[in-house]
Amino acid sequence: MSDKPEATGTRGFREECGVFGIYGHPDAANLTYLGLYALQHRGQEAGGIAAWNGKRIGVEKGMGYVADLFDEARLARLPGRSAVGHVRYSTAGGSLLENAQPIVYNTNKGPLAIAHNGNLVNADELRAELEAEGSIFTTTSDTEVLLHLMARSRAESLVEALRDTLGRVRGAYSIVLLAGEKVFAARDPQGFRPLTIGRLGDAWLVASETCAFDLLDAEPLRDVEPGEIVILDAGGVASSCFAMGRRTAFCVFEHVYFARPDSTVFHRSVAESRRAFGRRLAREHAVAADVVVPVPDSGVFAALGYAEESGIPYGMGLVRNHYVGRTFIEPKQSIRSFGVKVKLNPVRSVVGGKRIVLVDDSIVRGTTSKKLVRLLKAAGATEVHMRISSPPTTHPCHYGIDTPQRKELIAATKELEEIRTFIEADSLGYLSLEGMLHAFGKGEGETCAACFSGRYPVPFAVAQEQQPLFGHDDVLPLGGHSGNR
Ligand code: AMP
């Protein structure tokens, strides 16, 4: 989900989320808690669980980590056999508690609770239209638009109302919807964000990533397909397709950075993708060096791949303090710079007197890389060769990954050599777009790599703050289909 632009401060769209749903288990809320715990990396600012207790939907949500938000007493307030949950990350402006999910409404179709991962690119238009007709919104989140559309649908069944609703929205959405005791899950026709189905005894589960099933000892079954609605109820799993066969747009950045490496996403192991990116990176940007050092945790698997392919030994030259949040999240430049030092410390015995290949997944503003190069040199590294397991990040994401405005992306304004100079590395090499997609095993026509290419698979209105720096961004047409525009 995302916040309206005016609520997102100066850093542009920021929305990263994880969703979970369960039908048919006596401890539905407890299992949702565990599922969200495994999905915490997808959003650390707020979380919530909604459960159907036979009469109404109860909801508990708040700001902070899942482990801090819930205790036994709070979970006990959520009895029932079906539940949905959400973790989210947003800006200071948009991180108000009322924007935490699931969002619960009593509607003419009964009580509904929704949790959404992704970003609806036409939410502002729809919201303006709905407000002009008298709808009252209680959050600044685009997800609420979905509930309004559900409530207004004249369809007789819930699944038809959901089909009507999804026919009106555009962009990225993996959603879970609790409607009375039933759980619905749906994925946008392009399948930007992951959503997968699992089974635990007689209970059915849906989650953003398979790592949530692993924690529950649940069996992963299959993905919710792009353009599919899945209904979990007493009849088991039923499926209704509302838009099949479109051009898919699986987000490659899920594999580069966002998803957990122990998850299978878009039918592929994330760890294996990262290793393949690293191997390819070693072929594209070889260098004479003594040790390959990952930036933990994001660069670990790519660095392994780089080391395997190059034959240069792998060494844990940086150690991470796991009790610090992601440095990227800190709002102020001063805190962010400081955050790198707090989070990562060099291991002198590994890096001292050595020529280092430093591998990370991406450079966003360049702050992290610069700090790390300085830290390694201060710890005695003689050379630091920065290697990035994805292409230059030149464009913001409009489909649900947190990225700053375009002008803050270092690769949007600087050439390779300027970036190298800025981060003070001895050399800098990025994986090529072609190389990344080859290692990902998917063509550009079935993926979304807009943050690297500027080719956005689903058009969006260009708001003031997202104006391209140099001319207009290309918008890639949906191959052969008009989509639901
Ligand atoms: P920067 O200092 O802005 O260049 O940030 C680069 C670091 O942020 C890299 O180590 C990445 O692993 C990490 N990163 C990239 N994208 C994101 C994201 N969407 N959220 C949080 N961290 C990210």
Side-chain angles (χ1 to χ4, degrees), residues 68-109:
D68 300 327
L69 271 174
F70 292 97
D71 55 19
E72 275 183 38
R74 199 165 191 190
L75 288 170
R77 293 206 287 271
L78 294 170
R81 299 177 62 85
S82 338
V84 295
H86 191 251
V87 286
R88 98 187 267 265
Y89 167 50
S90 69
T91 52
S95 68
L96 307 166
L97 181 56
E98 68 244 31
N99 279 351
Q101 297 191 22
I103 301 176
V104 185
Y105 269 16
N106 283 315
T107 72
N108 52 3
K109 297 179 181 63

mmCIF file of all heavy atoms in Angstrom, residues 68-109:
data_model
loop_
_atom_site.group_PDB
_atom_site.id
_atom_site.type_symbol
_atom_site.label_atom_id
_atom_site.label_comp_id
_atom_site.label_asym_id
_atom_site.label_seq_id
_atom_site.Cartn_x
_atom_site.Cartn_y
_atom_site.Cartn_z
ATOM 1 N N ASP A 68 7.305 -6.551 19.313
ATOM 2 C CA ASP A 68 7.020 -5.590 20.379
ATOM 3 C C ASP A 68 5.538 -5.240 20.458
ATOM 4 O O ASP A 68 5.043 -4.817 21.487
ATOM 5 C CB ASP A 68 7.831 -4.303 20.162
ATOM 6 C CG ASP A 68 9.321 -4.585 20.158
ATOM 7 O OD1 ASP A 68 9.729 -5.496 20.898
ATOM 8 O OD2 ASP A 68 10.054 -3.924 19.408
ATOM 9 N N LEU A 69 4.866 -5.390 19.315
ATOM 10 C CA LEU A 69 3.463 -4.987 19.246
ATOM 11 C C LEU A 69 2.520 -5.965 19.925
ATOM 12 O O LEU A 69 1.481 -5.589 20.447
ATOM 13 C CB LEU A 69 3.042 -4.947 17.771
ATOM 14 C CG LEU A 69 3.241 -3.667 17.019
ATOM 15 C CD1 LEU A 69 2.915 -3.863 15.552
ATOM 16 C CD2 LEU A 69 2.325 -2.623 17.619
ATOM 17 N N PHE A 70 2.873 -7.250 19.843
ATOM 18 C CA PHE A 70 1.947 -8.277 20.319
ATOM 19 C C PHE A 70 2.537 -9.053 21.482
ATOM 20 O O PHE A 70 3.719 -9.368 21.488
ATOM 21 C CB PHE A 70 1.610 -9.255 19.181
ATOM 22 C CG PHE A 70 0.801 -8.609 18.093
ATOM 23 C CD1 PHE A 70 1.416 -8.133 16.948
ATOM 24 C CD2 PHE A 70 -0.574 -8.461 18.228
ATOM 25 C CE1 PHE A 70 0.680 -7.525 15.939
ATOM 26 C CE2 PHE A 70 -1.324 -7.842 17.237
ATOM 27 C CZ PHE A 70 -0.693 -7.374 16.088
ATOM 28 N N ASP A 71 1.681 -9.326 22.436
ATOM 29 C CA ASP A 71 2.032 -10.284 23.482
ATOM 30 C C ASP A 71 0.845 -11.237 23.614
ATOM 31 O O ASP A 71 -0.146 -11.091 22.895
ATOM 32 C CB ASP A 71 2.371 -9.577 24.797
ATOM 33 C CG ASP A 71 1.252 -8.657 25.252
ATOM 34 O OD1 ASP A 71 0.099 -8.828 24.779
ATOM 35 O OD2 ASP A 71 1.506 -7.757 26.069
ATOM 36 N N GLU A 72 0.945 -12.175 24.514
ATOM 37 C CA GLU A 72 -0.117 -13.183 24.608
ATOM 38 C C GLU A 72 -1.468 -12.559 24.876
ATOM 39 O O GLU A 72 -2.489 -12.959 24.312
ATOM 40 C CB GLU A 72 0.217 -14.189 25.715
ATOM 41 C CG GLU A 72 1.111 -15.293 25.207
ATOM 42 C CD GLU A 72 1.389 -16.338 26.266
ATOM 43 O OE1 GLU A 72 0.478 -16.652 27.047
ATOM 44 O OE2 GLU A 72 2.540 -16.817 26.302
ATOM 45 N N ALA A 73 -1.488 -11.544 25.751
ATOM 46 C CA ALA A 73 -2.769 -10.926 26.108
ATOM 47 C C ALA A 73 -3.400 -10.260 24.895
ATOM 48 O O ALA A 73 -4.606 -10.373 24.655
ATOM 49 C CB ALA A 73 -2.535 -9.900 27.219
ATOM 50 N N ARG A 74 -2.568 -9.614 24.101
ATOM 51 C CA ARG A 74 -3.123 -8.912 22.938
ATOM 52 C C ARG A 74 -3.627 -9.919 21.903
ATOM 53 O O ARG A 74 -4.674 -9.732 21.292
ATOM 54 C CB ARG A 74 -2.051 -7.996 22.332
ATOM 55 C CG ARG A 74 -2.663 -6.932 21.459
ATOM 56 C CD ARG A 74 -1.717 -5.812 21.132
ATOM 57 N NE ARG A 74 -2.483 -4.727 20.521
ATOM 58 C CZ ARG A 74 -1.937 -3.688 19.941
ATOM 59 N NH1 ARG A 74 -0.628 -3.544 19.916
ATOM 60 N NH2 ARG A 74 -2.698 -2.755 19.395
ATOM 61 N N LEU A 75 -2.853 -10.978 21.711
ATOM 62 C CA LEU A 75 -3.285 -12.001 20.745
ATOM 63 C C LEU A 75 -4.555 -12.695 21.236
ATOM 64 O O LEU A 75 -5.404 -13.089 20.444
ATOM 65 C CB LEU A 75 -2.162 -13.016 20.504
ATOM 66 C CG LEU A 75 -0.979 -12.478 19.697
ATOM 67 C CD1 LEU A 75 0.185 -13.460 19.715
ATOM 68 C CD2 LEU A 75 -1.384 -12.174 18.249
ATOM 69 N N ALA A 76 -4.679 -12.818 22.562
ATOM 70 C CA ALA A 76 -5.876 -13.464 23.116
ATOM 71 C C ALA A 76 -7.131 -12.646 22.829
ATOM 72 O O ALA A 76 -8.253 -13.164 22.875
ATOM 73 C CB ALA A 76 -5.707 -13.669 24.613
ATOM 74 N N ARG A 77 -6.955 -11.362 22.531
ATOM 75 C CA ARG A 77 -8.114 -10.529 22.183
ATOM 76 C C ARG A 77 -8.563 -10.771 20.741
ATOM 77 O O ARG A 77 -9.485 -10.135 20.261
ATOM 78 C CB ARG A 77 -7.763 -9.043 22.355
ATOM 79 C CG ARG A 77 -7.533 -8.648 23.817
ATOM 80 C CD ARG A 77 -7.811 -7.172 24.054
ATOM 81 N NE ARG A 77 -6.803 -6.294 23.504
ATOM 82 C CZ ARG A 77 -5.695 -5.883 24.157
ATOM 83 N NH1 ARG A 77 -5.477 -6.304 25.387
ATOM 84 N NH2 ARG A 77 -4.848 -5.066 23.593
ATOM 85 N N LEU A 78 -7.858 -11.672 20.062
ATOM 86 C CA LEU A 78 -8.181 -11.946 18.652
ATOM 87 C C LEU A 78 -8.506 -13.435 18.449
ATOM 88 O O LEU A 78 -7.820 -14.139 17.708
ATOM 89 C CB LEU A 78 -7.005 -11.552 17.748
ATOM 90 C CG LEU A 78 -6.682 -10.064 17.676
ATOM 91 C CD1 LEU A 78 -5.357 -9.839 16.946
ATOM 92 C CD2 LEU A 78 -7.808 -9.305 16.956
ATOM 93 N N PRO A 79 -9.554 -13.933 19.116
ATOM 94 C CA PRO A 79 -9.887 -15.346 18.917
ATOM 95 C C PRO A 79 -10.452 -15.551 17.511
ATOM 96 O O PRO A 79 -10.858 -14.590 16.864
ATOM 97 C CB PRO A 79 -10.964 -15.599 19.979
ATOM 98 C CG PRO A 79 -11.616 -14.274 20.175
ATOM 99 C CD PRO A 79 -10.531 -13.241 19.958
ATOM 100 N N GLY A 80 -10.488 -16.784 17.054
ATOM 101 C CA GLY A 80 -11.117 -17.069 15.764
ATOM 102 C C GLY A 80 -10.262 -17.966 14.906
ATOM 103 O O GLY A 80 -9.089 -18.210 15.206
ATOM 104 N N ARG A 81 -10.883 -18.451 13.845
ATOM 105 C CA ARG A 81 -10.230 -19.426 12.962
ATOM 106 C C ARG A 81 -9.732 -18.813 11.659
ATOM 107 O O ARG A 81 -9.136 -19.496 10.834
ATOM 108 C CB ARG A 81 -11.205 -20.572 12.657
ATOM 109 C CG ARG A 81 -11.634 -21.336 13.927
ATOM 110 C CD ARG A 81 -12.645 -22.414 13.596
ATOM 111 N NE ARG A 81 -12.080 -23.402 12.686
ATOM 112 C CZ ARG A 81 -11.368 -24.449 13.057
ATOM 113 N NH1 ARG A 81 -11.125 -24.655 14.346
ATOM 114 N NH2 ARG A 81 -10.906 -25.299 12.173
ATOM 115 N N SER A 82 -10.043 -17.514 11.429
ATOM 116 C CA SER A 82 -9.510 -16.852 10.226
ATOM 117 C C SER A 82 -8.928 -15.507 10.619
ATOM 118 O O SER A 82 -9.495 -14.808 11.476
ATOM 119 C CB SER A 82 -10.570 -16.573 9.169
ATOM 120 O OG SER A 82 -11.669 -17.368 9.283
ATOM 121 N N ALA A 83 -7.832 -15.155 9.970
ATOM 122 C CA ALA A 83 -7.185 -13.872 10.292
ATOM 123 C C ALA A 83 -6.364 -13.395 9.099
ATOM 124 O O ALA A 83 -5.977 -14.190 8.228
ATOM 125 C CB ALA A 83 -6.272 -14.032 11.510
ATOM 126 N N VAL A 84 -6.133 -12.092 9.070
ATOM 127 C CA VAL A 84 -5.189 -11.526 8.103
ATOM 128 C C VAL A 84 -4.261 -10.572 8.853
ATOM 129 O O VAL A 84 -4.637 -10.036 9.897
ATOM 130 C CB VAL A 84 -5.887 -10.773 6.929
ATOM 131 C CG1 VAL A 84 -6.709 -11.724 6.075
ATOM 132 C CG2 VAL A 84 -6.734 -9.607 7.422
ATOM 133 N N GLY A 85 -3.065 -10.374 8.308
ATOM 134 C CA GLY A 85 -2.118 -9.495 8.990
ATOM 135 C C GLY A 85 -1.261 -8.733 8.003
ATOM 136 O O GLY A 85 -1.217 -9.049 6.798
ATOM 137 N N HIS A 86 -0.563 -7.744 8.533
ATOM 138 C CA HIS A 86 0.170 -6.814 7.684
ATOM 139 C C HIS A 86 1.369 -6.253 8.427
ATOM 140 O O HIS A 86 1.293 -5.988 9.621
ATOM 141 C CB HIS A 86 -0.788 -5.662 7.329
ATOM 142 C CG HIS A 86 -0.302 -4.745 6.261
ATOM 143 N ND1 HIS A 86 0.101 -3.461 6.534
ATOM 144 C CD2 HIS A 86 -0.181 -4.905 4.929
ATOM 145 C CE1 HIS A 86 0.457 -2.875 5.383
ATOM 146 N NE2 HIS A 86 0.294 -3.721 4.402
ATOM 147 N N VAL A 87 2.485 -6.088 7.731
ATOM 148 C CA VAL A 87 3.581 -5.263 8.245
ATOM 149 C C VAL A 87 3.846 -4.187 7.219
ATOM 150 O O VAL A 87 3.737 -4.426 6.011
ATOM 151 C CB VAL A 87 4.889 -6.059 8.506
ATOM 152 C CG1 VAL A 87 4.768 -6.911 9.754
ATOM 153 C CG2 VAL A 87 5.302 -6.901 7.304
ATOM 154 N N ARG A 88 4.180 -2.997 7.679
ATOM 155 C CA ARG A 88 4.351 -1.904 6.729
ATOM 156 C C ARG A 88 5.467 -0.970 7.138
ATOM 157 O O ARG A 88 5.847 -0.882 8.306
ATOM 158 C CB ARG A 88 3.040 -1.143 6.582
ATOM 159 C CG ARG A 88 2.901 0.127 7.382
ATOM 160 C CD ARG A 88 1.504 0.657 7.259
ATOM 161 N NE ARG A 88 1.379 1.626 6.191
ATOM 162 C CZ ARG A 88 1.460 2.935 6.376
ATOM 163 N NH1 ARG A 88 1.706 3.428 7.557
ATOM 164 N NH2 ARG A 88 1.302 3.761 5.376
ATOM 165 N N TYR A 89 5.942 -0.287 6.143
ATOM 166 C CA TYR A 89 6.965 0.722 6.337
ATOM 167 C C TYR A 89 6.558 1.940 5.541
ATOM 168 O O TYR A 89 6.181 1.830 4.389
ATOM 169 C CB TYR A 89 8.313 0.179 5.851
ATOM 170 C CG TYR A 89 9.359 1.244 5.717
ATOM 171 C CD1 TYR A 89 9.575 2.117 6.766
ATOM 172 C CD2 TYR A 89 10.090 1.395 4.556
ATOM 173 C CE1 TYR A 89 10.507 3.121 6.648
ATOM 174 C CE2 TYR A 89 11.031 2.400 4.437
ATOM 175 C CZ TYR A 89 11.229 3.261 5.484
ATOM 176 O OH TYR A 89 12.152 4.254 5.364
ATOM 177 N N SER A 90 6.603 3.104 6.129
ATOM 178 C CA SER A 90 6.179 4.297 5.396
ATOM 179 C C SER A 90 6.952 5.507 5.899
ATOM 180 O O SER A 90 7.792 5.408 6.773
ATOM 181 C CB SER A 90 4.699 4.533 5.613
ATOM 182 O OG SER A 90 4.521 4.914 6.959
ATOM 183 N N THR A 91 6.618 6.666 5.375
ATOM 184 C CA THR A 91 7.297 7.892 5.804
ATOM 185 C C THR A 91 6.785 8.372 7.152
ATOM 186 O O THR A 91 5.743 7.926 7.612
ATOM 187 C CB THR A 91 6.980 9.031 4.844
ATOM 188 O OG1 THR A 91 5.579 9.083 4.717
ATOM 189 C CG2 THR A 91 7.648 8.846 3.538
ATOM 190 N N ALA A 92 7.500 9.334 7.715
ATOM 191 C CA ALA A 92 7.027 9.936 8.963
ATOM 192 C C ALA A 92 5.624 10.489 8.750
ATOM 193 O O ALA A 92 4.714 10.227 9.524
ATOM 194 C CB ALA A 92 7.976 11.033 9.401
ATOM 195 N N GLY A 93 5.432 11.225 7.653
ATOM 196 C CA GLY A 93 4.126 11.839 7.384
ATOM 197 C C GLY A 93 3.026 10.828 7.217
ATOM 198 O O GLY A 93 1.890 11.055 7.595
ATOM 199 N N GLY A 94 3.379 9.689 6.659
ATOM 200 C CA GLY A 94 2.344 8.703 6.373
ATOM 201 C C GLY A 94 2.311 7.571 7.374
ATOM 202 O O GLY A 94 1.561 6.637 7.211
ATOM 203 N N SER A 95 3.133 7.663 8.398
ATOM 204 C CA SER A 95 3.241 6.512 9.282
ATOM 205 C C SER A 95 2.309 6.617 10.488
ATOM 206 O O SER A 95 2.554 6.039 11.521
ATOM 207 C CB SER A 95 4.683 6.331 9.746
ATOM 208 O OG SER A 95 5.037 7.394 10.596
ATOM 209 N N LEU A 96 1.249 7.374 10.331
ATOM 210 C CA LEU A 96 0.307 7.511 11.424
ATOM 211 C C LEU A 96 -0.376 6.180 11.700
ATOM 212 O O LEU A 96 -0.543 5.375 10.791
ATOM 213 C CB LEU A 96 -0.751 8.541 11.038
ATOM 214 C CG LEU A 96 -0.191 9.890 10.583
ATOM 215 C CD1 LEU A 96 -1.264 10.705 9.903
ATOM 216 C CD2 LEU A 96 0.377 10.621 11.781
ATOM 217 N N LEU A 97 -0.757 6.037 12.938
ATOM 218 C CA LEU A 97 -1.382 4.773 13.317
ATOM 219 C C LEU A 97 -2.618 4.481 12.470
ATOM 220 O O LEU A 97 -2.894 3.341 12.130
ATOM 221 C CB LEU A 97 -1.723 4.798 14.812
ATOM 222 C CG LEU A 97 -2.360 3.534 15.368
ATOM 223 C CD1 LEU A 97 -1.481 2.317 15.100
ATOM 224 C CD2 LEU A 97 -2.602 3.675 16.857
ATOM 225 N N GLU A 98 -3.365 5.517 12.107
ATOM 226 C CA GLU A 98 -4.594 5.230 11.342
ATOM 227 C C GLU A 98 -4.283 4.622 9.975
ATOM 228 O O GLU A 98 -5.139 4.032 9.343
ATOM 229 C CB GLU A 98 -5.485 6.463 11.193
ATOM 230 C CG GLU A 98 -4.914 7.557 10.324
ATOM 231 C CD GLU A 98 -4.652 8.824 11.128
ATOM 232 O OE1 GLU A 98 -4.345 8.692 12.335
ATOM 233 O OE2 GLU A 98 -4.761 9.910 10.550
ATOM 234 N N ASN A 99 -3.059 4.789 9.515
ATOM 235 C CA ASN A 99 -2.690 4.184 8.233
ATOM 236 C C ASN A 99 -2.197 2.748 8.388
ATOM 237 O O ASN A 99 -1.944 2.076 7.403
ATOM 238 C CB ASN A 99 -1.612 5.007 7.537
ATOM 239 C CG ASN A 99 -2.197 6.199 6.805
ATOM 240 O OD1 ASN A 99 -3.413 6.315 6.693
ATOM 241 N ND2 ASN A 99 -1.348 7.082 6.337
ATOM 242 N N ALA A 100 -2.024 2.298 9.634
ATOM 243 C CA ALA A 100 -1.593 0.913 9.844
ATOM 244 C C ALA A 100 -2.704 -0.017 9.353
ATOM 245 O O ALA A 100 -3.882 0.341 9.337
ATOM 246 C CB ALA A 100 -1.286 0.675 11.312
ATOM 247 N N GLN A 101 -2.319 -1.193 8.941
ATOM 248 C CA GLN A 101 -3.287 -2.144 8.407
ATOM 249 C C GLN A 101 -3.280 -3.407 9.267
ATOM 250 O O GLN A 101 -2.339 -3.612 10.012
ATOM 251 C CB GLN A 101 -2.908 -2.489 6.957
ATOM 252 C CG GLN A 101 -2.977 -1.276 6.053
ATOM 253 C CD GLN A 101 -2.881 -1.651 4.581
ATOM 254 O OE1 GLN A 101 -3.161 -2.774 4.176
ATOM 255 N NE2 GLN A 101 -2.496 -0.691 3.763
ATOM 256 N N PRO A 102 -4.276 -4.271 9.131
ATOM 257 C CA PRO A 102 -5.407 -4.237 8.224
ATOM 258 C C PRO A 102 -6.363 -3.071 8.516
ATOM 259 O O PRO A 102 -6.527 -2.663 9.670
ATOM 260 C CB PRO A 102 -6.126 -5.560 8.467
ATOM 261 C CG PRO A 102 -5.107 -6.444 9.124
ATOM 262 C CD PRO A 102 -4.208 -5.549 9.883
ATOM 263 N N ILE A 103 -6.990 -2.557 7.442
ATOM 264 C CA ILE A 103 -8.041 -1.556 7.592
ATOM 265 C C ILE A 103 -9.363 -2.317 7.658
ATOM 266 O O ILE A 103 -9.615 -3.202 6.838
ATOM 267 C CB ILE A 103 -8.047 -0.578 6.401
ATOM 268 C CG1 ILE A 103 -6.684 0.128 6.278
ATOM 269 C CG2 ILE A 103 -9.164 0.454 6.556
ATOM 270 C CD1 ILE A 103 -6.570 1.033 5.061
ATOM 271 N N VAL A 104 -10.174 -2.001 8.654
ATOM 272 C CA VAL A 104 -11.424 -2.743 8.866
ATOM 273 C C VAL A 104 -12.607 -1.810 8.678
ATOM 274 O O VAL A 104 -12.610 -0.698 9.225
ATOM 275 C CB VAL A 104 -11.455 -3.352 10.294
ATOM 276 C CG1 VAL A 104 -12.691 -4.230 10.465
ATOM 277 C CG2 VAL A 104 -10.202 -4.175 10.553
ATOM 278 N N TYR A 105 -13.597 -2.254 7.908
ATOM 279 C CA TYR A 105 -14.831 -1.498 7.679
ATOM 280 C C TYR A 105 -16.020 -2.424 7.857
ATOM 281 O O TYR A 105 -15.967 -3.576 7.420
ATOM 282 C CB TYR A 105 -14.895 -1.026 6.218
ATOM 283 C CG TYR A 105 -14.307 0.322 5.919
ATOM 284 C CD1 TYR A 105 -13.457 0.977 6.789
ATOM 285 C CD2 TYR A 105 -14.632 0.943 4.709
ATOM 286 C CE1 TYR A 105 -12.937 2.210 6.461
ATOM 287 C CE2 TYR A 105 -14.109 2.181 4.376
ATOM 288 C CZ TYR A 105 -13.258 2.808 5.247
ATOM 289 O OH TYR A 105 -12.743 4.017 4.921
ATOM 290 N N ASN A 106 -17.094 -1.897 8.429
ATOM 291 C CA ASN A 106 -18.361 -2.607 8.338
ATOM 292 C C ASN A 106 -19.050 -2.081 7.098
ATOM 293 O O ASN A 106 -19.271 -0.874 6.975
ATOM 294 C CB ASN A 106 -19.212 -2.345 9.579
ATOM 295 C CG ASN A 106 -18.694 -3.168 10.737
ATOM 296 O OD1 ASN A 106 -18.392 -4.345 10.584
ATOM 297 N ND2 ASN A 106 -18.551 -2.529 11.889
ATOM 298 N N THR A 107 -19.368 -2.940 6.171
ATOM 299 C CA THR A 107 -19.941 -2.493 4.900
ATOM 300 C C THR A 107 -21.290 -3.179 4.684
ATOM 301 O O THR A 107 -21.674 -4.077 5.446
ATOM 302 C CB THR A 107 -19.024 -2.867 3.718
ATOM 303 O OG1 THR A 107 -19.094 -4.292 3.523
ATOM 304 C CG2 THR A 107 -17.586 -2.464 3.968
ATOM 305 N N ASN A 108 -21.938 -2.759 3.591
ATOM 306 C CA ASN A 108 -23.190 -3.424 3.215
ATOM 307 C C ASN A 108 -22.940 -4.879 2.807
ATOM 308 O O ASN A 108 -23.868 -5.652 2.617
ATOM 309 C CB ASN A 108 -23.864 -2.645 2.078
ATOM 310 C CG ASN A 108 -22.901 -2.400 0.915
ATOM 311 O OD1 ASN A 108 -21.749 -2.849 0.938
ATOM 312 N ND2 ASN A 108 -23.349 -1.690 -0.095
ATOM 313 N N LYS A 109 -21.668 -5.262 2.683
ATOM 314 C CA LYS A 109 -21.349 -6.657 2.357
ATOM 315 C C LYS A 109 -20.782 -7.375 3.582
ATOM 316 O O LYS A 109 -20.105 -8.395 3.461
ATOM 317 C CB LYS A 109 -20.360 -6.715 1.197
ATOM 318 C CG LYS A 109 -20.999 -6.099 -0.043
ATOM 319 C CD LYS A 109 -20.158 -6.062 -1.237
ATOM 320 C CE LYS A 109 -20.917 -5.409 -2.381
ATOM 321 N NZ LYS A 109 -21.283 -3.981 -2.109
#
